[in-house]
Amino acid sequence: MADFLQGIDVSHYNGAIDWPTVAYGAAAPAFVYLKATEGGTVVDSDYLRNRAGATAAGLLCGAYHFFSPTEPVADQVVNFCNAVGSVKGELPPMLEVEQPGLDQPAYAAAVAQWLQQVGDRLGCTPGIYTAAGFWNSCVGSFLAHPLWIAHYTPGPSPAVPAGSGSYTFWQYASTGAVRGIGGPVDMSRYPGQASQLQALLCS
């Protein structure tokens, strides 16, 4: 890709992060997604610290929720919204969908419920993080939301779920190296310019 912006995503698994070094070091990312919550009760232990540090360092941030198909959707909505509060000025919230547990119609309905209720509560349209193969087999019909696709390939573009003709973010590797973060880092790309990325921010 000749025209893209580099991004990363992190959670407590990445350990303590030196955000000024991340933001001002060589090959600094243009954006970062932070794990906020998982299921109906779990809040990532480093979310608030990472959010404050990344924001103070001037990085564009977004939050994501790891979806549990076996837990009540309403509990997961409350967990995420309580953890993030306002998302004004941040990238759209993302729902990570990669865990089996429901048949296709029920899974699609549960995902749609989370997206609708979180969007209503936070006033910003959430997106979906997934891999094409998982989505096609476990969820089925694609929903008209921003797509963060996971596909680790050296090719020029990722595979996307059936029914989705484009993507917003592409997580293309899980073994990146970023100054200020110890160990491997998930790497993503945004296929556009800084002004276009800014236009995605929640108002």
Side-chain angles (χ1 to χ4, degrees):
M1 294 179 65
D3 189 16
F4 66 85
L5 298 175
Q6 187 73 61
I8 61 175
D9 64 272
V10 299
S11 71
H12 70 278
Y13 290 113
N14 296 97
I17 297 174
D18 182 345
W19 286 108
T21 297
V22 172
Y24 303 117
F31 62 93
V32 55
Y33 265 96
L34 312 168
K35 183 177 181 179
T37 51
E38 179 173 337
T41 59
V42 176
V43 177
D44 188 274
S45 58
D46 285 348
Y47 170 62
L48 292 178
R49 180 168 60 232
N50 282 336
R51 187 186 196 185
T55 301
L59 291 167
L60 295 182
C61 296
Y64 72 90
H65 172 79
F66 187 91
F67 189 71
S68 172
T70 60
E71 297 183 59
V73 175
D75 292 349
Q76 300 189 62
V77 169
V78 170
N79 188 30
F80 181 76
C81 291
N82 285 349
V84 301
S86 172
V87 294
K88 184 177 181 180
E90 295 191 352
L91 292 167
M94 288 283 171
L95 179 65
E96 183 172 350
V97 182
E98 61 175 5
Q99 188 176 64
L102 294 170
D103 61 27
Q104 278 195 351
Y107 211 137
V111 169
Q113 180 184 343
W114 191 95
L115 294 169
Q116 180 66 50
Q117 293 183 4
V118 167
D120 289 345
R121 287 188 58 159
L122 298 182
C124 186
T125 301
I128 301 164
Y129 168 99
T130 195
F134 177 85
W135 187 276
N136 291 338
S137 63
C138 293
V139 185
S141 58
F142 192 74
L143 305 170
H145 284 258
L147 173 62
W148 181 11
I149 190 70
H151 187 192
Y152 302 159
T153 173
S157 61
V160 297
S164 174
S166 63
Y167 64 90
T168 304
F169 300 105
W170 170 17
Q171 186 187 84
Y172 65 93
S174 61
T175 56
V178 176
R179 289 186 59 193
I181 304 178
V185 183
D186 292 339
M187 309 297 292
S188 292
R189 292 171 174 168
Y190 171 72
Q193 301 176 347
S195 60
Q196 295 171 299
L197 184 63
Q198 287 277 348
L200 297 179
L201 300 182
C202 300
S203 58

